[in-house]
Amino acid sequence: MSEPAPPAQAMIRKLPLLATSVVGLAVAVMIGLGIWQLQRAAEKDQLLDRYRAAQNLPPISFPTTPIHSDRLPLFRHSTGVCLRPVSKRSTAGRNRAGDPGYVQIVDCSTGIEGPGMSVEVGWSKNPNVAVNWPGGPVSGIIAPDSRSRMRLVAATAPPGLEPSAPPSIAQIPNNHRSYAVQWFLFALIAAVIYALALRKKLNDEANKA
């Protein structure tokens, strides 16, 4: 007669192969996503450090040729020339006193091929305020822009508008670590729930035997 299998081996044989494989794969994927978020957090830290350093660099001419996303000179002092306003838009923003309202953005032609230049000319309580700005030389700080990737926040405002608040690095969140914690918790919860369900199943089978 063959000897009975040790308890550990017997338990392993009773494990539902498909369900265990699916849960194990899901847990591994969630752990992998958590590790990936930690890597993203480290990359974001490096990016924010670069932005902080850019604030103390000499001014540059506003880029009017395509630039790769990870090379945008955000938060750097810059100057440019708006040859001709092309369109106007507004988005939520604040003035230098911190009051909520709408910043007015003018998209400009720079006279050459490329993305042109977007200028945040000022702030108003009214999103549809008239912007009397014909273009011309402008200086300020380069900020992120959802449409054109970057815009120049002007240091001064034309009549009828107030100067906008300068762009702040604090507005760029680095919440990848919290996402990592969430993924790790999801993995732990999935493993615990499956272990409890499996334990109940095996106990029920043992009681029936």
Side-chain angles (χ1 to χ4, degrees):
M1 289 180 64
S2 59
E3 296 182 359
Q9 294 182 10
M11 183 175 179
I12 292 175
R13 290 176 182 175
K14 293 182 179 180
L15 289 177
L17 181 59
L18 179 59
T20 302
S21 300
V22 171
V23 173
L25 178 60
V27 169
V29 169
M30 287 185 278
I31 292 175
L33 288 171
I35 294 173
W36 175 65
Q37 288 293 347
L38 290 177
Q39 295 171 343
R40 291 287 308 275
E43 294 171 356
K44 195 65 166 288
D45 285 339
Q46 294 177 357
L47 183 65
L48 294 177
D49 287 341
R50 195 180 76 188
Y51 289 161
R52 293 186 187 97
Q55 293 177 317
N56 299 318
L57 294 176
I60 61 171
S61 296
F62 191 89
T64 53
T65 56
I67 299 177
H68 196 274
S69 295
D70 61 357
R71 296 297 176 187
L72 297 179
L74 300 178
F75 300 97
R76 189 160 180 177
H77 293 270
S78 178
T79 60
V81 178
C82 173
L83 292 183
R84 179 174 58 87
V86 175
S87 61
K88 169 190 168 296
R89 51 194 168 98
S90 64
T91 187
R94 296 180 180 271
N95 60 8
R96 291 182 180 175
D99 300 323
Y102 299 90
V103 293
Q104 306 299 318
I105 303 168
V106 175
D107 297 312
C108 299
S109 170
T110 57
I112 59 175
E113 293 185 3
M117 180 172 67
S118 296
V119 182
E120 185 177 315
V121 294
W123 172 95
S124 173
K125 282 284 188 182
N126 179 7
N128 300 313
V129 65
V131 177
N132 298 313
W133 186 65
V138 60
S139 62
I141 301 175
I142 299 176
D145 186 87
S146 59
R147 181 180 298 182
S148 58
R149 301 198 300 166
M150 60 181 177
R151 64 176 182 258
L152 186 61
V153 180
T156 59
L161 298 177
E162 296 181 29
S164 301
S168 172
I169 295 176
Q171 296 173 344
I172 300 180
N174 187 0
N175 45 17
H176 295 291
R177 288 183 179 85
S178 63
Y179 292 154
V181 171
Q182 290 178 3
W183 282 117
F184 292 144
L185 286 176
F186 292 156
L188 177 61
I189 291 171
V192 169
I193 290 175
Y194 182 68
L196 292 175
L198 185 60
R199 179 181 178 183
K200 183 178 184 303
K201 179 178 182 298
L202 294 177
N203 286 340
D204 292 343
E205 291 179 353
N207 292 334
K208 292 178 181 179

